[in-house]
Amino acid sequence: MRNILLATTAITAVALSAQSAQAQIVVSLGGYTEFFGAYYDDDSSARTSREFALETEIVVRADGKADNGLLYGAKVELQNSTGGTSPSGVGTDEASVYLGGTWGRIELGDFDGAADTLAIYAPLVGIEQIDGDAYRFLENTPGTGPRAGFALGGIPNGSLVQAPDSGDATKVMYLTPRFAGIQGGVSYATQSGNEAQSVVGFKTAGGYKDFWEFGANYTGEFSGFSIAAGATGSTATGQDLGTIGGPQLEDFFAWQAGGQIGFGGFKVGGGYIDADDYNAVSGVPSTSGDSSVWHVGVTYTAGPFAVGLTYADAEGFKSGPEFDATGVVPGTYATSYKTYGGGVAYTLAPGFTVAGDVMYVDEDLRNTDAVTGATTNASNEGIVAVLSTRLDF
């Protein structure tokens, strides 16, 4: 009887302790749903001209604070079109745990790294113009016609405003506290593009290993002016593309710098990226070419209304190479990629925004034959008009 009493008391104590610990954690639910309607036209063959799209995300947060001041918690983002091959599937977009305090913040999991988190670039509104969703309607690779095999419409180097990064690959990141307007940070991913429970088991998997991102930025206000400036960088080691000692991705060291200045309802800014040899291939077939971007933008906001204009000029690879047992096919290289346009946004109600973008693309492209190494060229012009509604909750 005494043993039963002691066991019952121990179980009760553990249960109360667990409840006490859980009581310090606040769980919150949020997210957004965004609907797009687009009309588009380009030089590709057999193209559609209009389409709808929907992006929705549910964000679950658990945030706690220990008695000693330690901040801790987790975040899980569930998004449609991330659940595998089905475009309507739902899967995990990002997921991470963190620890924080006066000394800064450590985050571990699947999320964007320091090059993304700390980047400063041109101001954007609504659908976000040169960093927005309009380009998804222009992205296509025709299977027939004079541009067959060329990746059309999509942006080179992975971004027009940020240095090449490891995306949501599983990583560790440290951010300093913001002191005198300055914050810095660094992140490390063992493998690019690899996340969740996936493990890269072989050196011939392609992609990049040892992906480091780092940077710092400053934000402040002086005499009615808002100022933001920053610099970020990234570097990684290219891996073999299917065969030890065969073609492999080039190592790269990329950097980005940008700034913004605002006064009243106006903001103006821009930035520059040197992406080095990002997504270039060494060996046979060998590909090369400068990878860089510069961009500018201006916005004006008055109450619930905002308008913005942006321009970007880039060169670089549209994607990394594809490879299998038959060989390596390098990604399409944009020798010139110019895009510009504008957008508007209007807040109808708290959390509910309607927006529109019109973006134009003019690009010259080069493909490299996987066997002979010979190059072929093509050009493309495209335009897209997008209307969207977005509810943040």
Side-chain angles (χ1 to χ4, degrees):
M1 185 66 179
R2 182 171 177 270
N3 290 337
I4 294 176
L5 179 61
L6 290 174
T8 304
T9 303
I11 292 172
T12 303
V14 171
L16 290 174
S17 176
Q19 290 176 1
S20 175
Q22 291 174 356
Q24 300 180 54
I25 298 177
V26 177
V27 178
S28 59
L29 184 68
Y32 67 87
T33 296
E34 190 166 14
F35 173 85
F36 303 94
Y39 173 83
Y40 43 91
D41 183 47
D42 60 22
D43 296 331
S44 184
S45 303
R47 282 275 276 153
T48 59
S49 61
R50 55 195 179 276
E51 183 59 289
F52 293 142
L54 179 74
E55 181 177 309
T56 188
E57 183 170 278
I58 302 297
V59 180
V60 182
R61 298 189 61 95
D63 300 289
K65 184 176 182 180
D67 294 338
N68 61 6
L70 178 71
L71 303 175
Y72 61 98
K75 179 182 70 172
V76 178
E77 297 179 358
L78 303 176
Q79 190 178 84
N80 67 329
S81 300
T82 58
T85 57
S86 171
S88 60
V90 176
T92 303
D93 180 28
E94 296 186 2
S96 62
V97 297
Y98 73 89
L99 295 172
T102 56
W103 44 268
R105 175 186 173 104
I106 295 175
E107 192 164 2
L108 308 93
D110 301 344
F111 55 91
D112 294 308
D116 179 285
T117 303
L118 296 169
I120 302 293
Y121 42 87
L124 306 167
V125 302
I127 307 174
E128 298 189 317
Q129 294 76 64
I130 57 172
D131 194 39
D133 291 283
Y135 297 102
R136 73 169 66 178
F137 298 98
L138 292 177
E139 292 176 354
N140 72 98
T141 303
T144 60
R147 296 169 183 82
F150 284 88
L152 307 180
I155 60 178
N157 304 320
S159 175
L160 296 173
V161 297
Q162 298 167 350
D165 60 47
S166 57
D168 293 336
T170 306
K171 62 175 62 68
V172 177
M173 179 169 71
Y174 169 72
L175 295 176
T176 70
R178 190 170 291 279
F179 179 74
I182 299 174
Q183 183 178 41
V186 60
S187 63
Y188 171 74
T190 54
Q191 297 281 338
S192 66
N194 193 62
E195 55 190 274
Q197 299 184 55
S198 175
V199 174
V200 175
F202 298 97
K203 298 178 180 180
T204 56
Y208 289 100
K209 67 177 181 179
D210 297 331
F211 207 119
W212 290 90
E213 303 173 42
F214 47 88
N217 66 36
Y218 169 82
T219 59
E221 293 187 1
F222 299 94
S223 303
F225 287 87
S226 64
I227 297 175
T232 64
S234 60
T235 184
T237 301
Q239 299 187 104
D240 291 325
L241 301 171
T243 305
I244 293 290
Q248 67 177 45
L249 279 175
E250 292 271 16
D251 302 346
F252 77 92
F253 182 96
W255 61 272
Q256 175 266 355
Q260 284 187 24
I261 185 168
F263 184 79
F266 288 95
K267 280 187 177 182
V268 62
Y272 179 80
I273 303 166
D274 184 339
D276 195 34
D277 290 323
Y278 183 62
N279 279 332
V281 177
S282 65
V284 181
S286 176
T287 62
S288 62
D290 295 332
S291 295
S292 63
V293 188
W294 66 269
H295 75 276
V296 294
V298 59
T299 63
Y300 175 73
T301 302
F305 175 78
V307 60
L309 297 171
T310 54
Y311 175 87
D313 191 328
E315 55 185 349
F317 289 93
K318 293 289 193 82
S319 67
E322 297 181 0
F323 63 96
D324 54 27
T326 63
V328 177
V329 180
T332 295
Y333 178 80
T335 58
S336 174
Y337 185 94
K338 296 177 172 62
T339 180
Y340 55 87
V344 296
Y346 185 80
T347 302
L348 285 175
F352 192 88
T353 304
V354 294
D357 269 7
V358 176
M359 299 301 298
Y360 173 78
V361 170
D362 184 0
E363 57 184 346
D364 296 319
L365 308 171
R366 182 180 73 215
N367 272 354
T368 301
D369 186 270
V371 178
T372 65
T375 61
T376 54
N377 300 292
S379 61
N380 175 58
E381 294 182 47
I383 188 169
V384 56
V386 187
L387 292 175
S388 81
T389 61
R390 177 174 173 129
L391 174 65
D392 291 280
F393 55 90

